[in-house]
Amino acid sequence: MKKLIRVTTSDISLFLLLRGQLKYLNNHYEVIGLSADTGLLHKVEKREGIRVIELAMRRDISLSRDLLCLWHMIKIFKREKPFIVHANTPKGSLLAMMAALVTRVPHRIYTVTGLRYQGASGVGRFVLMSMERLTCLCANKVIPEGEGVKRTLIADGITRKPLKVIHNGNINGINTHYFSPEGRQTQREETRRRLGIEADEFAFVFIGRIVKDKGMDELAEAMNRLLRMNKKCKLMLVGWFEREQGSITEEHENFFRNNDSVSYVGYKKDVRPYLAAADALVFPSYREGFPRVVLEAGAMGLPSIVTDINGCNEIIVEGENGVIIPPRDKNSLYEAMLHFIDNPDKTTAMAANARRMIQEKYEHQDVVEALLEMYQGLEGNG
């Protein structure tokens, strides 16, 4: 059986983003997961039934550490002799495509998800764009995660290689059996009771890294404004404060941590209880590739407020399963949140469409079958 090595910078990506995919592909290839180990790598090994290899990688740039990591990766590829190396996180992908090229791996596949350079400027932007160009140059197949990413790669001159989105986009689709609102009324009531959310209060939920680029400053201001208007609403904040990509203001962090109308619960492996307890997802991010949380929310029957950016504007259809607003616009965010609260009939109608629209376009099984078909199309070439 031919070997397929899936490379991510951290095991968190293997654990969360590729759930079920690795197990499915392992029926057709000898799948090996390669990443840093933060404590989840061997859980991936057990859950997916694959072999894993630990390799120290970090998101931040360090020439000495990165060269050492590249050298170890080259040795691993020489030993394993994979038919395919497929990578999908920026740092891991750069190193993997370079190592795979050096070791003459026949098929070097790079799935482009979020483009980090979009949130940078000056020298930092130049470095990150150069890394993307080099990664694409070393790959012999580049897959944009969605149509928005594809347009950006072309517009910014990142690569001239042929670009084709797998299925309707997203790296793994969504398992709508796992993310389902069915039978969750009791969990909804228990979670709301535990967090002090009254039955007549509208509950928004945000899930993700709590950083500036996720629109968290705007969310704090919009939520504050709603509270000043005496609107009956609460915000559940599921994630973690991170400063690597730009911290939010101290005032807004204090608001999120201490305000009685905000329930900050930290990082959670299973976000379904909070989606079940919510009435809508609010996701005012500045940039994305193809955000999984919007798929999860839709599968759980939630309408979403998202920004007009890659991925979000492919999942959400204005007025049908959510609302699309301009990024970095606190007034538009406030108006959208207010609209959801003040127009329960429209919000309920969007919620009724949400799950169906995800099932029709992003079902996990359809995505992994399309990925397998792409892999099998390589069989006569190497």
Side-chain angles (χ1 to χ4, degrees), residues 104-243:
R104 299 183 180 181
V105 174
H107 301 286
R108 307 177 300 277
I109 303 173
Y110 172 38
T111 294
V112 188
T113 54
L115 293 165
R116 290 177 65 189
Y117 69 79
Q118 289 186 302
S121 60
V123 175
R125 181 180 175 87
F126 173 79
V127 170
L128 292 171
M129 289 186 76
S130 299
M131 288 171 62
E132 285 291 343
R133 290 191 175 103
L134 181 56
T135 307
C136 292
L137 182 66
C138 293
N140 52 17
K141 192 172 188 65
V142 178
I143 302 172
E145 192 178 14
E147 292 295 335
V149 173
K150 177 180 174 180
R151 289 191 293 270
T152 302
L153 290 172
I154 294 170
D156 291 345
I158 300 299
T159 181
R160 294 183 179 178
K161 287 185 167 69
L163 302 173
K164 184 179 179 182
V165 174
I166 298 291
H167 195 53
N168 292 307
N170 192 251
I171 197 167
N172 199 32
I174 190 77
N175 184 337
T176 61
H177 297 289
Y178 183 80
F179 286 96
S180 172
E182 188 175 348
R184 292 197 173 270
Q185 185 59 33
T186 299
Q187 187 177 56
R188 172 182 171 85
E189 293 169 358
E190 289 177 351
T191 303
R192 289 174 73 101
R193 184 167 55 250
R194 176 167 54 85
L195 298 179
I197 303 171
E198 301 295 334
D200 62 345
E201 289 182 310
F202 194 100
F204 294 100
V205 63
F206 170 87
I207 300 172
R209 294 180 297 113
I210 305 170
V211 293
K212 185 177 181 63
D213 282 2
K214 293 294 183 182
M216 301 309 291
D217 286 323
E218 291 82 357
L219 180 55
E221 294 196 27
M223 190 67 190
N224 251 316
R225 190 172 170 187
L226 289 170
L227 296 176
R228 289 196 300 270
M229 295 284 289
N230 294 316
K231 291 297 176 180
K232 302 190 74 172
C233 61
K234 292 285 178 67
L235 172 65
M236 291 178 286
L237 210 55
V238 185
W240 62 101
F241 289 89
E242 184 177 294
R243 287 165 175 78

Side-chain angles (χ1 to χ4, degrees), residues 7 59 93 122 226 271 279:
V7 181
R59 291 180 64 189
S93 296
L226 289 170
V271 298
D279 297 299

Side-chain angles (χ1 to χ4, degrees), residues 11 14-15 19 22 37-50 52 269:
D11 55 352
L14 290 177
F15 186 80
R19 177 188 290 271
L22 303 173
D37 184 10
T38 68
L40 295 173
L41 191 58
H42 292 286
K43 292 182 179 179
V44 172
E45 180 179 42
K46 184 176 180 180
R47 185 189 71 196
E48 304 289 328
I50 65 169
V52 298
K269 290 181 183 178

Side-chain angles (χ1 to χ4, degrees), residues 86 109 141 143 166 369-378:
H86 187 172
I109 303 173
K141 192 172 188 65
I143 302 172
I166 298 291
E369 287 177 2
L371 181 61
L372 175 62
E373 183 179 352
M374 183 273 292
Y375 284 153
Q376 292 178 331
L378 306 173

Side-chain angles (χ1 to χ4, degrees), residues 56-89:
M57 281 186 280
R58 292 175 58 173
R59 291 180 64 189
D60 57 308
I61 298 171
S62 168
L63 185 60
S64 58
R65 283 198 307 263
D66 293 342
L67 286 174
L68 181 61
C69 184
L70 177 63
W71 172 245
H72 286 303
M73 199 177 284
I74 288 170
K75 291 199 294 184
I76 290 169
F77 291 171
K78 280 185 175 181
R79 181 182 73 233
E80 298 292 342
K81 296 181 173 58
F83 178 66
I84 300 169
V85 169
H86 187 172
N88 61 268
T89 53

